[in-house]
Amino acid sequence: MDFVLSFLSDGLLGASWWQIVAFTLVVTHITILGVTIYLHRSQAHRGLDLHPAIAHFFRFWLWLTTGMVTKEWVAIHRKHHARCEREGDPHSPMVYGIGKVFFQGAELYRDEATNRETLDKFGHGTPDDWVERNVYSRFGWQGVGLMMVIDVALFGAIGLTVWAVQMIWIPFWAAGVVNGIGHFWGYRNYASPDASRNVFPWGIVIGGEELHNNHHAYASSARFSTKWYEFDIGWGYIRALEILRLAKVKKVAPKVRLAHGKPVDLETLQAVITHRYEIMARYADLLKHACRDEIARLKAAKESHLQWKLLRRAKALLHRADDESLPDSHRSAINTVLADHRSLAILVEMRRELAAIWERSSASSEQLLRDLQDWCNRAQQSGIARLEEFSARLRSYAT
């Protein structure tokens, strides 16, 4: 009896409280790395190739700590990108609401994992060897059950708490925070056609997944940080694996390169299309600054406060003037502002025309180039200083 009580109290290691906490943080961090490096960047988006030994280690570890099956996770995530923020998106807060995705994201994942059509259409290229078919896919709960036995053996009864933390780590951080908050709150570097946001500029806790807007802008990039002030710890591990020849990076997000004084040519067109999300984010900032200029002008002229207050409310919405999901009240406010401010109406229309250049997939490169040249010329002659400055920068984009 004394042995049983001693075992339940201390386990095999007799670890102190801080050693148990340290162990928990280390093993949950490895799980996060398995998700972001193996499942997400390597399997789902093919941004890098992993050495078979590393890839199989992550497969085994995720079976042990999450019970997730590679094909299911990859298929669900690819479908999320294909149907992002629309009907069919497996876990969009724009579709299901932030509360459901944040608190029940794991349930949404499990429901979609039973959809055979999703797995067949989006799960191609994932492991299909004997171990996957006969162990990982077949005995999902046995893996996490084995992890529970290991935790209890190491730490005694408190090992159940360690195991519980391991079990909720991915449902909370990945399904809740990334899939929920990452499409609801944060900042945006890129005007990607979805609601993705960077939750925080330093991606440490979730292995770099905090930089979710960056990822949606360049989905196949193995590196999620794109600005000088951003940090992606997952990329740090990938570089270490690459140095050890245990990983090979296939693609990273292209860097903006400017070459002033050159003509608007096919190289410019290619660069503009490549960096379209960055360009439209800059245009959104242009619209906000233009609104501030108009508000300052109205205040200086001592115009009715109702005019500039309406303009202030519409400031954050003008770059979404063509968004069909906008509520009628917001759309009405935008229309009122555009009717009263000709320069803003021109800016919104020019934004629409600029976006149409890369949306015309059936047009030839020569036609798209003529459209871009015409757009730049009209912007330069618009008489709107901020638009002229934007056009000058646009002309300098290079590959």
Side-chain angles (χ1 to χ4, degrees), residues 11 45 71 77 99 102 118 120 132-133 214 216 219 229 256 269 283 287-288 365 369 374 386-387 397-398:
H45 294 292
K71 184 174 184 176
H77 185 73
F102 185 80
T118 296
D120 292 341
E132 191 71 28
R133 293 191 305 270
N214 294 358
H216 269 262
Y229 53 84
V256 173
L269 174 66
Y283 205 101
L287 285 169
K288 291 177 182 178
S365 297
L369 176 58
D374 176 65
R386 291 192 180 277
L387 184 58
Y397 273 77

Side-chain angles (χ1 to χ4, degrees), residues 28 37 66-67 95 116 119 130 132 166 169 217-218 272 289 319 336 354:
T28 51
I37 295 175
T66 69
V95 176
R116 191 74 247 169
L119 302 185
W130 185 92
E132 191 71 28
Q166 288 181 275
W169 205 254
Y218 299 103
V272 165
H289 286 301
H319 69 284
T336 300
L354 180 59

Side-chain angles (χ1 to χ4, degrees), residues 75-306:
I76 292 169
H77 185 73
R78 287 173 178 169
K79 185 175 182 179
H80 163 64
H81 277 265
R83 305 278 192 272
C84 198
E85 322 297 14
R86 295 177 288 143
E87 184 177 353
D89 187 329
H91 46 64
S92 168
M94 303 299 114
V95 176
Y96 293 101
I98 182 62
K100 186 174 182 64
V101 175
F102 185 80
F103 292 106
Q104 300 178 37
E107 286 82 353
L108 291 172
Y109 169 87
R110 283 193 290 268
D111 289 344
E112 192 63 35
T114 63
N115 188 336
R116 191 74 247 169
E117 181 182 357
T118 296
L119 302 185
D120 292 341
K121 184 174 182 179
F122 296 101
H124 53 84
T126 52
D128 189 32
D129 53 19
W130 185 92
V131 177
E132 191 71 28
R133 293 191 305 270
N134 294 279
V135 180
Y136 300 148
S137 298
R138 188 176 178 184
F139 300 111
W141 69 267
Q142 284 87 342
V144 297
L146 177 58
M147 189 74 247
M148 181 179 68
V149 172
I150 294 172
D151 288 337
V152 172
L154 293 177
F155 305 114
I158 195 66
L160 291 173
T161 301
V162 175
W163 179 79
V165 171
Q166 288 181 275
M167 293 305 103
I168 67 173
W169 205 254
I170 293 301
F172 175 76
W173 288 110
V177 174
V178 176
N179 294 339
I181 295 178
H183 283 261
F184 192 80
W185 179 87
Y187 70 97
R188 284 167 65 86
N189 287 329
Y190 304 99
S192 54
D194 50 59
S196 62
R197 309 221 168 238
N198 292 329
V199 180
F200 208 66
W202 301 304
I204 299 174
V205 177
I206 326 177
E209 297 290 333
E210 294 93 333
L211 299 164
H212 202 53
N213 173 244
N214 294 358
H215 165 61
H216 269 262
Y218 299 103
S220 61
S221 173
R223 180 179 181 175
F224 289 172
S225 57
T226 59
K227 304 297 183 181
W228 67 266
Y229 53 84
E230 293 174 339
F231 177 71
D232 170 15
I233 195 172
W235 173 248
Y237 287 112
I238 290 170
R239 288 291 295 123
L241 290 171
E242 193 172 34
I243 291 171
L244 296 172
R245 298 186 178 181
L246 296 175
K248 181 180 180 180
V249 174
K250 297 170 66 177
K251 192 171 184 179
V252 294
K255 292 184 178 296
V256 173
R257 191 172 76 85
L258 303 178
H260 299 285
K262 70 178 187 63
V264 180
D265 52 18
L266 287 174
E267 181 189 12
T268 312
L269 174 66
Q270 181 182 344
V272 165
I273 293 175
T274 298
H275 298 289
R276 59 193 181 278
Y277 297 145
E278 189 267 348
I279 289 170
M280 295 311 280
R282 285 185 173 274
Y283 205 101
D285 289 338
L286 180 156
L287 285 169
K288 291 177 182 178
H289 286 301
C291 282
R292 293 192 189 104
D293 294 343
E294 281 293 289
I295 291 171
R297 184 184 65 80
L298 291 174
K299 287 183 176 179
K302 297 182 179 180
E303 297 286 347
S304 168
H305 72 283
L306 293 177

